[in-house]
Amino acid sequence: LIALVLRVVLFQPFTIPSASMEPNLSEGDYIVVSKWSYGYSKHSIPFSPPIFSGRILGQEPRRGDIVVFKLPRDNETDYIKRLIGLPGDRIQMIDNVLHINGAAVPDVEMSRQDVQNLYGTQTVIQMRETLPEGREINIQDWGPGHPADNTIVFEVPAGHYFMIGDNRDNSQDSRFDESAGVGYVPAENLIGKAEIILFSWRPGASLWNPISWFEKVRPSRFFTRLD
């Protein structure tokens, strides 16, 4: 009972299953989400029982928060992305540059390197963006020529939010409609704010293979606070 109360009211653990939030979150990170940050909805409770609608003790999230939410198209799957658009905002990508309410978000290149993957040699670029309120975030980009580098203008409806992955060219997010991506996220679907990486393993670690715990562990990521 105590564990259930703590999970509903205070904290909930999640594991990161993909690379869509690199460079800030990696596959195999084990994170803790604060449940009180945005108040509570039915999705704050395991299995999302329909005992009430909307949010209670609600607080507005901040642009730039890393948020865990229920995928709108099924209200069951947990997703994690960065909140970029608030209700009433206009969001657009133009030539690989994020625009918020008609203004380009300033960015500075931090590093670039060539990597080998299934598509051959590609250049991965890490950049730092400064959001309108002055908050700085690190993102990752794979250069021009990707489907979401240029988009329509998205006008975020009241009571909804616009989410984008930090790994800009490897994220199915609000730039894609609900049939293929995330679409607009209702406020009720927010679960909480990602606060800290507790510990981390490289892909390939297995609960049933204790040797892999030591071979795949990434101690440098332990207890990393998330901004």
Side-chain angles (χ1 to χ4, degrees):
L1 179 61
I2 292 172
L4 177 62
V5 170
L6 289 175
R7 179 173 175 179
V8 171
V9 177
L10 297 178
F11 300 105
Q12 186 168 343
F14 290 90
T15 55
I16 303 301
S18 73
S20 71
M21 285 297 292
E22 288 183 347
N24 301 295
L25 288 171
S26 299
E27 182 180 353
D29 285 348
Y30 189 89
I31 67 169
V32 171
V33 168
S34 62
K35 303 293 286 288
W36 71 85
S37 296
Y38 311 133
Y40 306 95
S41 76
K42 64 182 181 182
H43 296 302
S44 303
I45 305 170
F47 308 111
S48 303
I51 56 178
F52 65 94
S53 61
R55 304 195 74 84
I56 59 174
L57 302 176
Q59 301 179 58
E60 289 295 319
R62 295 172 56 214
R63 190 193 316 276
D65 285 355
I66 299 176
V67 179
V68 172
F69 57 92
K70 291 293 185 182
L71 185 64
R73 68 170 172 262
D74 64 15
N75 288 319
E76 294 180 358
T77 307
D78 294 324
Y79 258 51
I80 183 166
K81 303 292 179 188
R82 193 179 294 273
L83 193 158
I84 293 296
L86 300 169
D89 280 346
R90 290 174 289 111
I91 308 296
Q92 186 178 22
M93 296 294 298
I94 302 175
D95 295 333
N96 222 20
V97 176
L98 174 64
H99 287 65
I100 300 177
N101 295 325
V105 172
D107 56 45
V108 176
E109 183 176 316
M110 306 299 292
S111 67
R112 68 168 58 205
Q113 62 176 329
D114 292 333
V115 298
Q116 294 287 333
N117 57 27
L118 294 175
Y119 305 100
T121 301
Q122 288 188 291
T123 300
V124 58
I125 306 166
Q126 294 198 5
M127 308 178 73
R128 180 167 295 159
E129 288 182 341
T130 303
L131 299 176
E133 296 80 7
R135 191 172 186 178
E136 294 184 340
I137 63 173
N138 295 328
I139 67 164
Q140 184 164 286
D141 191 88
W142 294 81
H146 292 266
D149 287 348
N150 289 280
T151 70
I152 62 172
V153 176
F154 298 96
E155 297 187 7
V156 186
H160 291 72
Y161 299 96
F162 194 91
M163 308 289 185
I164 300 183
D166 290 341
N167 195 353
R168 291 285 167 82
D169 294 322
N170 187 20
S171 176
Q172 294 292 109
D173 48 44
S174 293
R175 294 171 294 176
F176 302 89
D177 65 30
E178 286 189 22
S179 65
V182 170
Y184 302 115
V185 178
E188 184 178 61
N189 285 45
L190 304 187
I191 295 174
K193 179 177 181 288
E195 298 283 359
I196 192 170
I197 301 170
L198 270 188
F199 46 86
S200 179
W201 285 287
R202 292 189 298 276
S206 170
L207 179 64
W208 311 112
N209 180 10
I211 293 176
S212 70
W213 303 352
F214 302 98
E215 292 177 339
K216 303 292 186 180
V217 70
R218 292 184 287 208
S220 63
R221 299 186 64 78
F222 285 23
F223 306 110
T224 300
R225 286 201 59 83
L226 298 170
D227 295 319

